[in-house]
Amino acid sequence: MARYTGPKTKIARKFGEAIFGEDKVLSKKNYPPGQHGNNRRRKVSEYGVQLKEKQKAKYTYGVLERQFRNLFDRAARSKGITGEVLLQLLESRLDNVVYRLGLAPSRPAARQLVLHKHIVVNGKVVNIPSYQVMAGDVVGVREKSKSLEVIADCLAGFNHSKYPWIEWDASSKSGRFLHLPALADIPENIDVQKIVELYSK
């Protein structure tokens, strides 16, 4: 499956946020990239604001346009509030759940763990990053992968209590996905209403 592999700092500077995790360059150059990035004062249109929010969500969760559109269409067909359901679908992707469990330092790293068959769901190996985790599912580390240094380093000192929709079991290195997170609990600075407005045009 294709994914974005370009310069991440450039994208983070474009949005003015460390959307890929800690970014040391962003603290020094908190303005858009390019020759005139520090002097740009153009007024952004409403469409531009909406597009920016969509792109931010896509880069944050590591999905491309077709995947994102499919998720939006699915959210629009649901009975809930479209924007909230969209974020819940993104949050329940397996690569994102692995990241939230503290098994990887970033979503791309979590995606790699999934692709390399280090992750199990309800005891079975799943190597599809976009797999939708359901309420009650248990996501953990494959038995022979529990000694991986990268996983141990990530778990060291990780605070699992900051995500109330996940219950962590340190002894088995696994977490139960209790329920879909409430919009207020999702720690991402994304204005989902702007995305809904964009796709509603």
Side-chain angles (χ1 to χ4, degrees), residues 99-168:
Y99 168 65
R100 294 292 191 211
L101 286 170
L103 298 173
S106 65
R107 288 183 181 89
R111 179 190 180 93
Q112 192 171 39
L113 285 179
V114 175
L115 287 170
H116 289 183
K117 301 182 178 181
H118 295 302
I119 301 299
V120 294
V121 179
N122 299 327
K124 295 182 178 179
V125 173
V126 178
N127 65 338
I128 304 169
S130 61
Y131 177 89
Q132 289 288 321
V133 179
M134 308 297 286
D137 283 352
V138 176
V139 178
V141 182
R142 191 178 182 182
E143 193 61 42
K144 69 177 187 178
S145 303
K146 289 183 177 179
S147 60
L148 283 176
E149 189 176 339
V150 63
I151 294 176
D153 290 345
C154 288
L155 287 173
F158 188 83
N159 177 21
H160 289 93
S161 63
K162 59 184 176 179
Y163 303 126
W165 63 93
I166 293 174
E167 184 179 69
W168 176 250

Side-chain angles (χ1 to χ4, degrees), residues 32-103:
Q35 184 178 357
H36 305 291
N38 202 19
N39 300 315
R40 204 173 292 168
R41 294 289 184 272
R42 278 185 294 179
K43 185 178 180 180
V44 181
S45 67
E46 183 63 24
Y47 173 79
V49 172
Q50 295 166 352
L51 183 62
K52 185 177 179 180
E53 287 303 312
K54 183 192 78 167
Q55 290 175 327
K56 189 198 299 183
K58 283 168 53 184
Y59 283 119
T60 297
Y61 288 97
V63 297
L64 296 182
E65 180 60 38
R66 183 177 293 181
Q67 281 180 304
F68 194 83
R69 179 74 210 212
N70 288 341
L71 285 172
F72 180 85
D73 289 343
R74 184 174 164 189
R77 291 193 301 268
S78 72
K79 295 180 180 178
I81 301 169
T82 302
E84 182 172 8
V85 174
L86 175 62
L87 269 193
Q88 288 174 337
L89 289 173
L90 288 165
E91 278 291 327
S92 58
R93 281 173 54 98
L94 180 57
D95 54 358
N96 184 75
V97 174
V98 169
Y99 168 65
R100 294 292 191 211
L101 286 170
L103 298 173

